[in-house]
Amino acid sequence: MIIQKTREEIELIRESALIVSKTLGMLASEVKPGVTTLQLDKMAEEFIRDHGAEPGFLGMYDFPNSLCMSPNAQVVHGIPNSEPLKEGDIISIDCGALKNGFYGDHAYTFPIGDIDDETQKLLDVTRESLYVGIREFKIGNRVGDVGFAIQQYAEKHGFGVVRELVGHGLGAKMHEDPEMPNYGKRGRGKKFIEGMVVAIEPMINAGTHRIKQLKDGWTILTADNKPSAHFEHDVALIDGKPELLSTFHYIYQALGIQSDEEEEFRAQTINFND
Ligand code: MG
Ligand code: MG
């Protein structure tokens, strides 16, 4: 059952989502050749706790860390380790935070130094597909409309859309109804309702959409070992339209990137100087 949130509850989810956004922004300056994913995980845990929140993933379903760190061919759910990142890698960082009883959950895939053109295109198309999907999250539409839009966009560029892992409702639980697949048929699935909150999170592969899992029971990677990217936003349905609760603003600020991709989905009241 889809849980409708009050305006007050949506503001609490926004607070947790923005802690995740700031955590990713802090990490953006630290993600470089030589750093290990375990070092980044410790920095993130400390940062989240300093902001009065709990790491959302730590201990959830017995996950051992605060961040899911999935380099290169890893799709999602990679476990931080002591292997240094190197020039040319990409790293998907998925982060959760729990504060005031509500979760934030979002993700960004970072390039490490210079990456090849095909992998850069994968990052761009995956991030763009996220906004293409968010645009369909509105009253009158259904779950399938978001998935359809993401799938069309990714496949048009020759990439594979992961089927086994999906986005989800978000609130007092990290994973609520409805499931939000990144593929689907127009006009199918559950109807969107005012006040619902979802995490939309395309996981897009450079090659086949097929995946495999490591023996650690967590790490998902592409079946053909080609790279995979993952971008995720938390979005509320307010006045019939999508409103972003999370933001890549802090990442872009850290990296000196100009972008107006989020503008149409952003609340007028958000002050990034707070
Ligand atoms: Mg996530
Ligand atoms: Mg999620």
Side-chain angles (χ1 to χ4, degrees):
M1 197 188 71
I2 296 176
I3 302 171
Q4 203 169 13
K5 274 84 180 177
T6 64
R7 282 298 179 98
E8 289 73 21
E9 288 168 332
I10 289 173
E11 289 314 309
L12 293 177
I13 300 171
R14 191 198 305 277
E15 194 177 332
S16 297
L18 286 176
I19 290 172
V20 178
S21 300
K22 288 173 186 172
T23 306
L24 293 174
M26 177 277 293
L27 292 171
S29 313
E30 306 290 343
V31 172
K32 47 194 163 203
V35 73
T36 73
T37 49
L38 204 52
Q39 288 169 329
L40 296 169
D41 181 75
K42 293 291 162 236
M43 288 177 212
E45 179 174 354
E46 202 178 309
F47 189 91
I48 291 166
R49 293 193 191 283
D50 283 350
H51 284 75
E54 298 284 317
F57 298 164
L58 187 63
M60 176 171 283
Y61 315 118
D62 291 328
F63 189 76
N65 292 87
S66 296
L67 299 176
C68 293
M69 301 287 259
S70 310
N72 302 323
Q74 294 188 9
V75 179
V76 286
H77 301 167
I79 299 174
N81 61 30
S82 47
E83 209 168 302
L85 295 172
K86 52 186 199 309
E87 179 92 14
D89 285 348
I90 57 171
I91 180 81
S92 298
I93 304 183
D94 195 351
C95 179
L98 173 65
K99 188 174 179 179
N100 302 314
F102 290 93
Y103 283 96
D105 168 26
H106 83 126
Y108 192 89
T109 302
F110 295 89
I112 315 294
D114 278 334
I115 61 172
D116 66 69
D117 292 348
E118 179 66 9
T119 308
Q120 184 60 54
K121 187 180 157 203
L122 174 70
L123 298 192
D124 291 339
V125 167
T126 305
R127 193 194 64 255
E128 288 156 12
S129 78
L130 169 59
Y131 295 107
V132 165
I134 290 171
R135 210 160 275 132
E136 299 301 318
F137 180 57
K138 57 188 180 188
I139 291 297
N141 273 1
R142 292 170 180 266
V143 164
D145 293 300
V146 170
F148 176 82
I150 293 171
Q151 182 178 17
Q152 288 293 110
Y153 192 79
E155 290 182 351
K156 184 175 79 184
H157 289 89
F159 296 136
V161 178
V162 173
R163 309 289 202 270
E164 292 84 350
L165 298 134
V166 298
H168 49 91
L170 181 75
K173 291 205 179 117
M174 174 81 77
H175 298 122
E176 296 183 351
D177 266 357
E179 287 196 344
M180 296 286 293
N182 299 301
Y183 59 92
K185 293 195 167 72
R186 234 179 224 154
R188 299 282 181 86
K190 288 186 180 166
K191 237 186 203 167
F192 295 138
I193 58 170
E194 180 72 15
M196 68 185 290
V197 177
V198 294
I200 299 178
E201 49 179 316
M203 290 154 256
I204 308 294
N205 299 344
T208 178
H209 67 80
R210 293 204 169 75
I211 56 164
K212 55 195 177 187
Q213 188 168 31
L214 286 186
K215 287 202 181 72
D216 65 16
W218 280 106
T219 312
I220 304 291
L221 63 171
T222 58
D224 58 8
N225 293 313
K226 288 188 177 175
S228 181
H230 178 214
F231 289 82
E232 176 177 24
H233 266 316
D234 302 335
V235 197
L237 217 166
I238 299 175
D239 296 334
K241 300 190 301 276
E243 182 174 307
L244 278 186
L245 304 181
S246 54
T247 176
F248 295 143
H249 170 84
Y250 300 102
I251 295 172
Y252 295 158
Q253 198 173 47
L255 301 179
I257 294 171
Q258 295 294 325
S259 170
D260 55 8
E261 268 174 334
E262 292 182 1
E263 292 307 317
E264 67 179 290
F265 308 114
R266 202 180 261 168
Q268 301 304 315
T269 50
I270 290 288
N271 180 358
F272 290 116
N273 299 317
D274 284 352

